[in-house]
Amino acid sequence: IRLRDVHDWLTRRHRRQNHQNIELNVPEHIVKRLSMQTDRLKFFLPKESFDLLEAGSRLHNCVASYGEAMKDHRKWVVLMADKKGKLVACLEVKGQELVQAKLDSNKPASRDNEINAAIIAWAAETNLEIKTTDINTVAGQEISIAG
Protein backbone atom coordinates (compact mmCIF):
# COMPACT_ATOMS: atom_id res chain seq x y z
CA ILE A 1 0.00 0.00 0.00
CA ARG A 2 1.33 3.39 -0.98
CA LEU A 3 1.28 6.22 1.55
CA ARG A 4 -0.44 8.46 -1.00
CA ASP A 5 -3.29 5.94 -1.36
CA VAL A 6 -3.76 5.86 2.43
CA HIS A 7 -3.77 9.66 2.52
CA ASP A 8 -6.35 9.87 -0.29
CA TRP A 9 -8.58 7.28 1.39
CA LEU A 10 -8.43 9.13 4.73
CA THR A 11 -9.16 12.44 3.03
CA ARG A 12 -12.23 10.99 1.29
CA ARG A 13 -13.48 9.46 4.56
CA HIS A 14 -13.07 12.79 6.33
CA ARG A 15 -14.99 14.65 3.60
CA ARG A 16 -17.82 12.09 3.82
CA GLN A 17 -18.12 12.63 7.58
CA ASN A 18 -18.61 16.37 7.06
CA HIS A 19 -20.97 16.02 4.11
CA GLN A 20 -24.73 15.70 4.51
CA ASN A 21 -25.81 13.15 1.91
CA ILE A 22 -28.71 14.01 -0.40
CA GLU A 23 -30.66 11.43 -2.40
CA LEU A 24 -30.78 12.91 -5.89
CA ASN A 25 -33.87 11.03 -7.12
CA VAL A 26 -33.10 11.51 -10.80
CA PRO A 27 -36.25 10.75 -12.81
CA GLU A 28 -36.06 7.43 -14.64
CA HIS A 29 -36.58 9.03 -18.06
CA ILE A 30 -33.49 11.22 -17.49
CA VAL A 31 -31.43 8.21 -16.38
CA LYS A 32 -32.50 6.25 -19.47
CA ARG A 33 -31.79 9.18 -21.78
CA LEU A 34 -28.37 10.20 -20.46
CA SER A 35 -26.91 6.86 -19.34
CA MET A 36 -25.01 4.80 -21.86
CA GLN A 37 -22.39 2.08 -21.88
CA THR A 38 -20.07 0.91 -24.62
CA ASP A 39 -17.20 -1.53 -24.61
CA ARG A 40 -14.84 1.36 -23.75
CA LEU A 41 -16.85 3.92 -21.79
CA LYS A 42 -19.72 4.32 -19.40
CA PHE A 43 -21.87 7.45 -19.01
CA PHE A 44 -23.90 7.42 -15.79
CA LEU A 45 -25.68 9.70 -13.34
CA PRO A 46 -24.89 9.79 -9.63
CA LYS A 47 -27.61 8.52 -7.30
CA GLU A 48 -26.67 10.57 -4.22
CA SER A 49 -24.51 13.53 -3.31
CA PHE A 50 -21.87 11.18 -1.86
CA ASP A 51 -21.30 10.06 -5.47
CA LEU A 52 -20.70 13.70 -6.45
CA LEU A 53 -18.36 14.13 -3.50
CA GLU A 54 -16.34 11.10 -4.58
CA ALA A 55 -16.28 12.25 -8.22
CA GLY A 56 -15.05 15.69 -7.17
CA SER A 57 -12.30 14.11 -5.11
CA ARG A 58 -11.20 11.82 -7.95
CA LEU A 59 -11.40 14.49 -10.67
CA HIS A 60 -10.15 17.37 -8.47
CA ASN A 61 -13.12 19.66 -9.11
CA CYS A 62 -16.15 21.18 -7.37
CA VAL A 63 -18.83 18.81 -8.72
CA ALA A 64 -19.82 17.98 -5.13
CA SER A 65 -21.53 21.39 -5.02
CA TYR A 66 -24.09 20.28 -7.65
CA GLY A 67 -26.18 18.15 -5.28
CA GLU A 68 -28.94 20.70 -4.69
CA ALA A 69 -29.16 21.59 -8.39
CA MET A 70 -29.58 17.92 -9.26
CA LYS A 71 -32.07 17.33 -6.46
CA ASP A 72 -34.11 20.29 -7.73
CA HIS A 73 -33.79 19.01 -11.35
CA ARG A 74 -32.13 22.26 -12.51
CA LYS A 75 -28.98 20.53 -13.80
CA TRP A 76 -27.74 17.01 -14.40
CA VAL A 77 -24.24 15.74 -13.83
CA VAL A 78 -23.20 12.83 -16.00
CA LEU A 79 -20.04 11.02 -15.01
CA MET A 80 -17.90 9.27 -17.59
CA ALA A 81 -15.71 6.28 -16.71
CA ASP A 82 -13.36 4.11 -18.72
CA LYS A 83 -13.75 0.33 -19.07
CA LYS A 84 -11.83 -0.19 -15.80
CA GLY A 85 -14.28 2.08 -13.92
CA LYS A 86 -11.88 5.01 -13.56
CA LEU A 87 -13.62 8.39 -13.82
CA VAL A 88 -12.31 10.31 -16.81
CA ALA A 89 -14.75 13.19 -17.24
CA CYS A 90 -17.61 15.07 -15.66
CA LEU A 91 -20.38 16.52 -17.82
CA GLU A 92 -23.00 19.14 -16.95
CA VAL A 93 -26.34 19.10 -18.72
CA LYS A 94 -28.85 21.92 -18.41
CA GLY A 95 -32.13 21.44 -20.21
CA GLN A 96 -31.32 20.17 -23.70
CA GLU A 97 -27.74 21.43 -23.65
CA LEU A 98 -24.34 20.11 -22.68
CA VAL A 99 -22.82 23.13 -20.93
CA GLN A 100 -19.62 21.69 -19.41
CA ALA A 101 -17.32 18.77 -20.15
CA LYS A 102 -14.34 18.57 -17.81
CA LEU A 103 -11.42 16.19 -17.39
CA ASP A 104 -9.26 15.98 -14.27
CA SER A 105 -8.58 19.36 -12.62
CA ASN A 106 -11.24 21.10 -14.76
CA LYS A 107 -9.31 20.71 -18.00
CA PRO A 108 -11.60 20.89 -21.03
CA ALA A 109 -12.50 17.52 -22.53
CA SER A 110 -11.13 18.76 -25.85
CA ARG A 111 -7.63 18.08 -24.49
CA ASP A 112 -8.21 14.34 -24.99
CA ASN A 113 -9.22 13.60 -28.59
CA GLU A 114 -10.74 10.19 -27.81
CA ILE A 115 -12.85 11.48 -24.90
CA ASN A 116 -13.81 14.59 -26.87
CA ALA A 117 -15.02 12.44 -29.78
CA ALA A 118 -16.91 10.07 -27.47
CA ILE A 119 -18.70 13.00 -25.83
CA ILE A 120 -19.69 14.38 -29.23
CA ALA A 121 -21.13 10.98 -30.17
CA TRP A 122 -22.89 10.65 -26.79
CA ALA A 123 -24.39 14.15 -27.13
CA ALA A 124 -25.69 13.27 -30.60
CA GLU A 125 -27.16 9.99 -29.32
CA THR A 126 -28.89 11.76 -26.41
CA ASN A 127 -30.08 14.69 -28.55
CA LEU A 128 -28.13 17.31 -26.62
CA GLU A 129 -26.87 20.50 -28.19
CA ILE A 130 -23.23 21.18 -27.33
CA LYS A 131 -23.04 24.66 -25.81
CA THR A 132 -19.56 24.66 -24.34
CA THR A 133 -16.06 25.49 -25.49
CA ASP A 134 -14.92 22.43 -23.48
CA ILE A 135 -15.63 20.32 -26.58
CA ASN A 136 -13.94 20.70 -29.94
CA THR A 137 -16.73 20.22 -32.47
CA VAL A 138 -14.54 20.69 -35.56
CA ALA A 139 -15.51 18.33 -38.40
CA GLY A 140 -13.58 15.09 -38.50
CA GLN A 141 -13.52 14.68 -34.72
CA GLU A 142 -16.59 12.47 -34.46
CA ILE A 143 -16.41 8.71 -33.93
CA SER A 144 -19.00 6.08 -33.29
CA ILE A 145 -19.94 5.71 -29.61
CA ALA A 146 -20.06 1.92 -30.03
CA GLY A 147 -16.71 1.70 -31.82
Side-chain angles (χ1 to χ4, degrees), residues 7-117:
H7 170 269
D8 292 349
W9 181 83
L10 284 170
T11 301
R12 284 193 303 274
R13 295 295 298 171
H14 182 262
R15 283 188 190 130
R16 282 181 76 105
Q17 288 176 344
N18 296 318
H19 178 86
Q20 184 174 352
N21 193 33
I22 301 169
E23 290 292 325
L24 301 176
N25 297 317
V26 179
E28 188 61 28
H29 73 279
I30 297 293
V31 173
K32 285 181 180 179
R33 177 179 176 212
L34 299 179
S35 297
M36 189 176 300
Q37 186 163 354
T38 69
D39 57 341
R40 293 186 322 230
L41 298 167
K42 179 179 181 181
F43 294 83
F44 63 99
L45 287 92
K47 293 180 177 19
E48 58 186 18
S49 63
F50 276 156
D51 298 335
L52 291 172
L53 185 68
E54 183 68 20
S57 176
R58 300 235 181 242
L59 292 173
H60 307 97
N61 65 28
C62 68
V63 74
S65 66
Y66 281 67
E68 288 293 330
M70 282 193 70
K71 180 180 166 236
D72 296 341
H73 302 178
R74 289 180 280 132
K75 297 177 182 181
W76 305 116
V77 171
V78 178
L79 301 173
M80 184 178 175
D82 65 15
K83 63 183 174 185
K84 295 179 183 176
K86 178 184 175 195
L87 289 179
V88 294
C90 183
L91 314 174
E92 179 187 343
V93 174
K94 187 172 183 182
Q96 303 297 314
E97 300 174 343
L98 174 64
V99 296
Q100 283 195 75
K102 302 293 187 183
L103 303 173
D104 189 30
S105 300
N106 280 328
K107 293 179 184 118
S110 61
R111 290 218 182 153
D112 183 306
N113 289 335
E114 184 178 349
I115 291 173
N116 185 81

Side-chain angles (χ1 to χ4, degrees), residues 111-130:
R111 290 218 182 153
D112 183 306
N113 289 335
E114 184 178 349
I115 291 173
N116 185 81
I119 293 171
I120 290 170
W122 169 82
E125 186 75 23
T126 58
N127 296 313
L128 291 174
E129 186 176 354
I130 297 174

